[in-house]
Amino acid sequence: MSGREPRDGKKLVRSLSGLRMVPESRAARSPFGLEEPPWVPDKECPRCMQCNTKFDFITRKHHCRRCGKCFCDKCCSKKVPLPRMCFVDPVRQCAECALVSQKETEFYDKQLKVLMNGATFFVTPGTSEKSETMVCRLSNNQRYLFLDGDSHYEIEVAQISTVQILTEGFTPGGGNTRAIGMLLQYKVLGSEELRQLKFTAGEDFNSNKKLSATWLAAMHKAAKLLYESRDQ
């Protein structure tokens, strides 16, 4: 897969929640994605699950597309993009879910591009003391982390176990910190053995220091979404 990425076919599907553009193969889905939640059945929610208003012919029921709970129009009026579920258009969400989805918009609009563009680090495998200068980037299909230098790594994002961002303080008190590296633990497909890589932003990459810190911040956010998707 080095240097070339397969084009994953996509298909348009319609659900109760709206139109979704999803990969044809389940194996090709983004590791950051979320499954559509089951809707709370109408007969089980005579009242709004937020403000407790009773439903009738005037006060209609609406389901939040992110959590599947049942609300009145006042408590579920926002239509917000939900790329983690592959919706084509913004969809109706309750106030709490809409806030979460809006915060995730920055990841999809900005931080994914940062991860795909890549950044340069010193990469040290396992307990080795020997590091290698490598360009690290996320694949366009979001499923692999590519590391390219004298050697080459392809890490399946779904197999990443932990991401720990390493920081240092600007001041002796450590009040302000910046990301200077990352410890990444992952499994190789078919093995339960945990492997570790240490990423360090090099001092001689002055012009790239800010880029490296931005890439690490994006990776930190990606890890949070990955954990959420896995725990769903």
Side-chain angles (χ1 to χ4, degrees), residues 25-42:
S25 164
R26 188 172 183 82
R29 293 186 178 183
S30 166
F32 308 119
L34 293 173
E35 296 289 342
E36 270 192 273
W39 282 11
V40 174
D42 286 351

Side-chain angles (χ1 to χ4, degrees), residues 4 15 23 27 34-36 40 68-69 73 81 97 102 109 138 149 157 208 216 225:
R4 59 185 176 84
S15 68
L34 293 173
E35 296 289 342
E36 270 192 273
V40 174
K69 294 178 182 177
D73 182 67
C97 287
Q102 284 168 340
D109 286 352
L138 183 70
V157 172
N208 292 324
L216 289 168
L225 299 191

Side-chain angles (χ1 to χ4, degrees), residues 43-185:
K43 62 183 179 182
E44 292 181 16
C45 51
R47 295 176 178 273
C48 172
M49 299 177 80
Q50 178 63 40
C51 69
N52 209 34
T53 297
K54 188 174 182 179
F55 294 123
D56 53 31
F57 287 113
I58 298 172
T59 306
R60 309 298 296 271
K61 298 174 183 176
H62 298 283
H63 285 84
C64 171
R65 272 48 174 176
R66 186 176 180 119
C67 67
K69 294 178 182 177
C70 202
F71 302 92
C72 66
D73 182 67
K74 183 181 176 183
C75 294
C76 194
S77 60
K78 291 190 176 182
K79 288 194 174 183
V80 178
L82 186 46
R84 292 185 76 183
M85 291 185 191
C86 303
F87 283 110
V88 174
D89 301 307
V91 289
R92 189 185 289 269
Q93 296 176 57
C94 67
E96 185 178 344
C97 287
L99 192 61
V100 174
S101 295
Q102 284 168 340
K103 286 180 180 177
E104 290 172 353
T105 299
E106 183 183 3
F107 176 74
Y108 279 89
D109 286 352
K110 298 177 183 177
Q111 292 172 315
L112 261 183
K113 294 183 181 72
V114 169
L115 291 172
M116 290 174 184
N117 287 336
T120 303
F121 296 93
F122 286 132
V123 179
T124 312
T127 55
S128 170
E129 293 182 4
K130 185 181 177 183
S131 61
E132 181 181 338
T133 303
M134 306 189 88
V135 175
C136 310
R137 70 176 182 88
L138 183 70
S139 65
N140 292 335
N141 61 18
Q142 305 169 21
R143 287 163 41 215
Y144 296 91
L145 203 56
F146 292 151
L147 281 63
D148 284 299
D150 289 337
S151 34
H152 175 77
Y153 291 88
E154 292 182 12
I155 300 169
E156 192 172 353
V157 172
Q159 297 299 316
I160 292 175
S161 299
T162 59
V163 172
Q164 180 187 346
I165 302 300
L166 307 174
T167 60
E168 71 175 12
F170 281 122
T171 61
N176 296 311
T177 60
R178 64 182 176 93
I180 58 165
M182 170 176 78
L183 288 178
L184 180 78
Q185 288 189 320

